[in-house]
Amino acid sequence: MHTTPKVNRDLFEPNYIQLVRIFQDQISTGLLRPGDRLPSESQLCKNHHISRMTVRRAINILVEQGFVVTERGRGTFVKPIQFWSASFNLNQLRNLLSDENKIKIKILEASITNANDILAQKMKVNRGQRLLHIRRLILSVDKPIIYHREYLLYDPSRPIVESELDVTELKCLFEGTSNSYIKYGSLSLEATVLNDNEARILQIPEATASLTIEHTFFDFEDRPISWGHFICPGLTLTFTTLSA
Amino acid sequence: MHTTPKVNRDLFEPNYIQLVRIFQDQISTGLLRPGDRLPSESQLCKNHHISRMTVRRAINILVEQGFVVTERGRGTFVKPIQFWSASFNLNQLRNLLSDENKIKIKILEASITNANDILAQKMKVNRGQRLLHIRRLILSVDKPIIYHREYLLYDPSRPIVESELDVTELKCLFEGTSNSYIKYGSLSLEATVLNDNEARILQIPEATASLTIEHTFFDFEDRPISWGHFICPGLTLTFTTLSA
DNA sequence: AAGTGGTCTAGACCACCTA
DNA sequence: AGGTGGTCTAGACCACTTT
């Protein structure tokens, strides 16, 4: 028989974090298995000599992290693995683009076009509306890795053309430092096969598999102000995650 | 001038949830913009006649949801949009497979094979180790939508062969109801192009773009017990998300 | 009735930042 | 020094489940 660790009030680490870690460890070592009940909150208070709010805080974190579920009147239970709990985030893309020294952004085209039917629908404007069209190539150590096509609302009352042409606009988006016009975005991820034009631009064989991230960004009046695609060929971008 | 809404103690909705919603509304309507400072916690206590802990609870939720950031000694501020904050989850896949009436799972093959170099590495076993190989086709209204290849540790001491062959094993994973041997999984998402075999099995043209989810599942001793791929062609699977 | 988790209070002390 | 967020306490009442 061995005793479980106790919260130590003398450490720098807050008590509730210590308690979270204690349970994470017990779950990951299999000491606590899916379906097992955790000690009740009042028991934990006594065992660790901490208050109820501190215990609840720890348990809430475990709930958010997906390790346990609470059932009122019954107790708190270790959750079984759920395939769905996995989620893919864009951190790999972030890391890819974060190395300032390696990354260059080349403007391939910047022109004014008139909205066709698709654009009119996507940007919620009338057909024929003037739109700014920008095509960029993102290079890492002078090797093309991502191709970006974007259509922007061309609003003469907003002097954004300069800044949007600039590389910084894209970087701001990445870094979240922009005090920009963007309230939120809608992203969509799908698999595509490069056409000959895209393949030539990216300097890789045609018909290569590619991940395409379609984005629409909205301003504070909920109007779309940007619609475009990041085209990330082959293995420049893979998503990895844990399902716990 | 108009006054902001106040927490109402008489509603069914908990006070902290009400406060969360108040700020979510103010942010989404643009009343609070990125960089703006929220009222201090003590001010919120006075304004809404609620205790500090209740205020802090609401703010913690806003932090977790990515709407605000706190800075000790300075205040709480509305966060600008971050492209990276977006994350893609597997709910669409879940929905796709949740309709019991439409979905059928067909076992294409179940055989014992010996591990080659790749399998030996992926499953952390010796070369030549016997592995269970299962190929499944997932159909929706009798139309193939997902092709699944999987290699399983063949452990005679565990009588899992029956259950793993069974369709339920896959379903359990999806539903998280399994009291299974799986502690956690590692998932990886990439774009692929269907080869002729896959295309034939899925009854779609060759060279179609496809999303492939590679998975490795581990038991409670952290040994890989399953390695495989879900192959989701074309637009059967697209990920959508918001970046706020 | 007894035990569980859910919400909430009215304080306290601390570390940090700004002035 | 005064304000900010970060941690924590020792209670309280409630809704719910089990015995």
Side-chain angles (χ1 to χ4, degrees), chain A residues 28-30 33, chain B residues 181 183-184 218-225:
Chain A
S28 75
T29 58
R33 298 261 178 143
Chain B
Y181 302 93
K183 185 167 92 182
Y184 67 97
F218 299 85
D219 67 9
F220 284 90
E221 276 75 42
D222 291 323
R223 286 178 313 205
I225 57 174

Side-chain angles (χ1 to χ4, degrees), chain A residues 156-169:
Chain A
S157 71
R158 257 194 309 144
I160 59 170
V161 179
E162 292 279 342
S163 73
E164 272 163 349
L165 266 177
D166 195 351
V167 165
T168 53
E169 175 74 9

Side-chain angles (χ1 to χ4, degrees), chain A residues 122 129 197 210:
Chain A
K122 291 286 184 185
Q129 166 85 34
N197 182 35
S210 168

Side-chain angles (χ1 to χ4, degrees), chain A residues 28 84 88 174 183 189 239, chain B residues 28 80 84 88 174 183 189 239:
Chain A
S28 75
W84 317 115
F88 301 95
F174 294 157
K183 185 167 90 179
L189 180 75
F239 294 97
Chain B
S28 75
W84 317 115
F88 301 94
F174 293 157
K183 185 167 92 182
L189 179 75
F239 293 96

Side-chain angles (χ1 to χ4, degrees), chain A residues 28 33 64 80-81 84 86-88 90 94 174 176 183 185 187-189 191 210-211 220 238-243, chain B residues 28 33 64 80-81 84 86-88 90 94 174 176 183 185 187-189 191 210-211 220 238-243:
Chain A
S28 75
R33 298 261 178 143
E64 285 150 17
I81 183 181
W84 317 115
S87 74
F88 301 95
L90 296 175
R94 173 186 213 166
F174 294 157
K183 185 167 90 179
L187 304 182
S188 165
L189 180 75
S210 168
L211 283 176
F220 283 90
T238 59
F239 294 97
T240 306
T241 190
L242 288 180
S243 157
Chain B
S28 75
R33 298 260 180 147
E64 285 151 17
I81 183 180
W84 317 115
S87 74
F88 301 94
L90 297 176
R94 174 187 211 166
F174 293 157
K183 185 167 92 182
L187 304 182
S188 166
L189 179 75
S210 167
L211 282 176
F220 284 90
T238 59
F239 293 96
T240 306
T241 190
L242 288 179
S243 155

